[in-house]
Amino acid sequence: MKIVVSTAGETKQVAQIMAAYVEPNDVILLDGDLGAGKTTFTKGLALGLGIKHNVKSPTFNLIKEYHQGRIPLFHMDVYRLEGVGGSDLGLEEYFNGGGVSVIEWAQYIGDELPPEYLRIQIVKDERDDQRRTLSFKAKGDHYSKLISLLEEKWSSFR
Ligand SMILES: Nc1ncnc2c1ncn2[C@@H]1O[C@H](COP(=O)(O)OP(=O)(O)OP(=O)(O)O)[C@@H](O)[C@H]1O
Ligand SMILES: [Mg+2]
């Protein structure tokens, strides 16, 4: 499923809508180049969960936890793990920790991913610096349903 957005605000809105459908122990992978909008998406998700803190990239700590919302948010940015590979990061504890885990640059931890997850790829437009294509891919039935719900809600929202 693909959604084309024309502003950062719209990226946040898509994420905010999705936040209504996420459940404890959901895992969301965010792929996309530098500045694609992975953190922007996460901010929208946090907003939708009712988290009032300003979500910033967890550049210093690999992981930031937010416990104020409907369900906890575990925000991970594994950019600096490029090339580390095969390391035991103990991420499963987060994946099974009762919150929603969001991972920026998840391609760097390929061997530690859970069996099922939602992958969102954000691609910039060559001509329009505000435009993005968000591609949603599910691994597992639960995430296929989540995508259908989001698609339905987004099309009626617009
Ligand atoms: N449609 C859009 N969606 C998301 N961000 C957008 C959009 N249009 C413009 N932007 C801008 O692009 C930037 C995206 O930055 P952001 O930190 O979210 O990207 P990122 O993918 O997390 O980058 P990094 O790889 O450095 O973590 C922000 O300044 C945002 O305002
Ligand atoms: Mg980021």
Side-chain angles (χ1 to χ4, degrees):
M1 198 272 280
K2 283 187 181 9
I3 293 177
V4 178
V5 293
S6 35
T7 62
E10 269 185 26
T11 297
K12 279 193 197 169
Q13 276 170 349
V14 172
Q16 204 176 337
I17 288 171
M18 201 178 82
Y21 304 117
V22 295
E23 293 175 6
N25 297 336
D26 276 1
V27 175
I28 299 169
L29 315 183
L30 289 172
D31 286 341
D33 293 342
L34 282 167
K38 302 179 292 297
T39 301
T40 301
F41 189 94
T42 310
K43 283 173 188 275
L45 197 73
L47 206 66
L49 288 170
I51 293 163
K52 302 220 159 57
H53 274 84
N54 183 20
V55 169
K56 291 183 201 144
S57 248
T59 36
F60 237 47
N61 322 306
L62 206 64
I63 299 164
K64 273 197 190 164
E65 302 183 27
Y66 302 87
H67 292 273
Q68 314 66 2
R70 178 173 70 83
I71 35 181
L73 171 66
F74 306 138
H75 183 199
M76 314 173 193
D77 188 329
V78 296
Y79 180 64
R80 286 169 310 139
L81 294 183
E82 181 180 15
V84 174
S87 61
D88 185 10
L89 301 166
L91 295 178
E92 317 76 51
E93 290 195 28
Y94 281 96
F95 298 158
N96 300 308
V100 49
S101 296
V102 174
I103 312 164
E104 297 192 32
W105 297 99
Q107 63 263 41
Y108 294 155
I109 52 151
D111 50 358
E112 282 202 54
L113 292 176
E116 300 196 347
Y117 50 76
L118 173 65
R119 186 182 284 278
I120 306 172
Q121 196 188 13
I122 308 179
V123 178
K124 292 194 215 177
D125 193 279
E126 284 173 9
R127 295 196 191 89
D128 181 341
D129 67 352
Q130 299 252 84
R131 199 176 179 86
R132 305 284 190 272
T133 301
L134 313 177
S135 301
F136 297 80
K137 280 199 186 121
K139 198 143 180 279
D141 284 351
H142 166 65
Y143 296 103
S144 304
K145 282 181 202 135
L146 201 158
I147 291 175
S148 306
L149 287 166
L150 173 64
E151 187 173 27
E152 202 182 304
K153 197 75 181 174
W154 177 250
S155 56
S156 66
F157 176 82
R158 304 201 87 191

